[in-house]
Amino acid sequence: STGGNVGIQSSSLIVQSLADKSGLDTSLWKRLQKVFVVALINALIAAIFAFGCSMLIDSGEIMLSITVSLSLFAVVMLASLMGTVTPLVLNQLKINPAVASGPFITTTNDILGYGVYFMIAIPIVGNASYYSPVSVSRTISITIGTQSLTINNNQPINLGRSEERRV
């Protein structure tokens, strides 16, 4: 949701400048530079805060904290870009950016945010079993009364039935 929020904020500034033509006195390049600097500052602050919180919550799991903070940084930067470019493109297509920008930006940024997270997480964390908050045993034994059942993760479970159920 951070991506959607950042995108909407950037979009609001651009839509306001499109509505108030006096805000367009500066060149497009200058406006994009200004939006980029603000997005960079916001992304850095959010990433540092997320890194600290992740380190505290996850007992110092450094790779997870790096993944979360880099992902948040990238999502904020991407959302700011989307929020800036979308109203300008819609305005060029003669579509009212004040009406169409919001839903498009929030939906797109939320979807892209997941993609960015996984694109960053997979190379850093690698195998999905690297970080698991739950310790998993290789063998589980369950005893009820005189009956016991042992489950080994590498072997299929046999409950003593010969028939095979298909679902």
Side-chain angles (χ1 to χ4, degrees):
S1 69
T2 300
N5 293 336
V6 170
I8 288 297
Q9 181 62 34
S10 298
S11 171
S12 298
L13 294 172
I14 298 299
V15 168
Q16 182 184 12
S17 70
L18 289 171
D20 180 17
K21 298 298 181 189
S22 65
L24 296 175
D25 292 341
T26 59
S27 70
L28 176 63
W29 180 245
K30 289 277 189 195
R31 282 185 284 152
L32 289 177
Q33 282 180 323
K34 190 175 188 179
V35 168
F36 177 76
V37 169
V38 170
L40 186 64
I41 292 168
N42 284 338
L44 282 172
I45 291 170
I48 290 168
F49 183 74
F51 181 83
C53 288
S54 180
M55 287 294 286
L56 288 173
I57 292 170
D58 292 322
S59 304
E61 183 63 46
I62 190 89
M63 296 309 285
L64 179 65
S65 299
I66 289 171
T67 301
V68 169
S69 61
L70 283 177
S71 298
L72 186 58
F73 178 85
V75 165
V76 168
M77 293 301 293
L78 179 65
S80 180
L81 176 69
M82 290 287 297
T84 302
V85 172
T86 301
L88 295 172
V89 170
L90 290 174
N91 191 49
Q92 288 297 316
L93 296 173
K94 306 291 186 222
I95 298 171
N96 184 356
V99 174
S101 292
F104 180 76
I105 290 171
T106 53
T107 303
T108 305
N109 284 333
D110 288 344
I111 291 169
L112 290 176
Y114 287 117
V116 167
Y117 174 77
F118 286 117
M119 285 175 53
I120 290 173
I122 290 170
I124 291 176
V125 176
N127 187 355
S129 65
Y130 172 78
Y131 177 77
S132 176
V134 178
S135 176
V136 178
S137 166
R138 300 285 296 165
T139 303
I140 299 171
S141 295
I142 301 170
T143 303
I144 301 174
T146 59
Q147 300 294 319
S148 67
L149 171 67
T150 301
I151 303 169
N152 186 330
N153 289 353
N154 297 326
Q155 297 175 353
I157 300 172
N158 184 354
L159 297 176
R161 296 184 185 146
S162 59
E163 76 259 12
E164 190 174 320
R165 278 182 89 185
R166 297 193 187 267
V167 178

